[in-house]
């Protein structure tokens, strides 16, 4: 599934999905390894905004096989809560599950975990178009 990550237009250091673990109908599970030399760390921790971006990139992979290269713009993040931060040495497991589609709008329930501890959860809505 490494080829799926190539569909995300971001590159280091902004590519925050290291590997896809599971991808099936409307659901993706991926992971981000937090390393001490990651330039996006703040005080040895992965900031909440970067976790939100990692979740958005994970959600982008849900349609990758079906529609190929596509562009998605985050138009809303709602009911988002954060409970702690990932630190250097942690592996963040990223979950995105499609819950609704209306035209070009697609909504996901998202969750980020370090082990069993939930560090972020919420809903994200994207406007998705097929890239030329």
């Amino acid at each position: 599934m490494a080829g799926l990550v190539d569909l995300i237009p971001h590159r280091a250091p902004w590519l925050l999905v290291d590997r896809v673990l599971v991808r099936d109908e409307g659901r993706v599970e991926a992971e981000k390894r937090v390393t001490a030399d990651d330039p996006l760390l703040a005080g040895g921790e992965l900031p909440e905004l970067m976790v939100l971006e990692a979740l958005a990139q994970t959600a982008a992979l849900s349609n990758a096989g079906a529609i190929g290269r596509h562009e998605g713009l985050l138009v809303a993040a709602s009911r988002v809560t954060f409970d702690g931060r990932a630190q250097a040495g942690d592996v963040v497991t990223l979950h995105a599950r499609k819950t609704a589609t209306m035209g070009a709008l697609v909504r996901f329930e998202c969750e980020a975990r370090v082990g069993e501890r939930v560090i972020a959860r919420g809903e994200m809505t994207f406007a998705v178009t097929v890239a030329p």
Side-chain angles (χ1 to χ4, degrees), residues 56-79:
Q57 291 178 20
T58 301
L61 295 169
S62 74
N63 287 329
I67 64 174
R69 186 169 291 282
H70 57 282
E71 296 175 353
L73 298 174
L74 178 63
V75 295
S78 57
R79 298 185 192 118

Side-chain angles (χ1 to χ4, degrees), residues 77-126:
S78 57
R79 298 185 192 118
V80 177
T81 60
F82 297 98
D83 188 17
R85 288 184 170 182
Q87 299 186 17
D90 288 342
V91 176
V92 181
T93 306
L94 306 157
H95 303 268
R97 184 176 63 84
K98 189 185 309 183
T99 59
T101 303
M102 187 173 90
L105 297 176
V106 184
R107 185 176 359 162
F108 291 86
E109 285 182 353
C110 299
E111 184 175 89
R113 292 177 171 264
V114 173
E116 293 299 315
R117 181 174 54 99
V118 176
I119 62 168
R121 71 167 35 125
E123 295 178 346
M124 302 173 85
T125 303
F126 301 88

Side-chain angles (χ1 to χ4, degrees), residues 9-26:
H10 302 65
R11 292 297 158 245
W14 298 106
L15 179 61
L16 297 174
V17 174
D18 293 326
R19 138 178 122 119
V20 177
L21 304 172
V22 175
R23 184 177 155 274
D24 56 30
E25 188 61 35

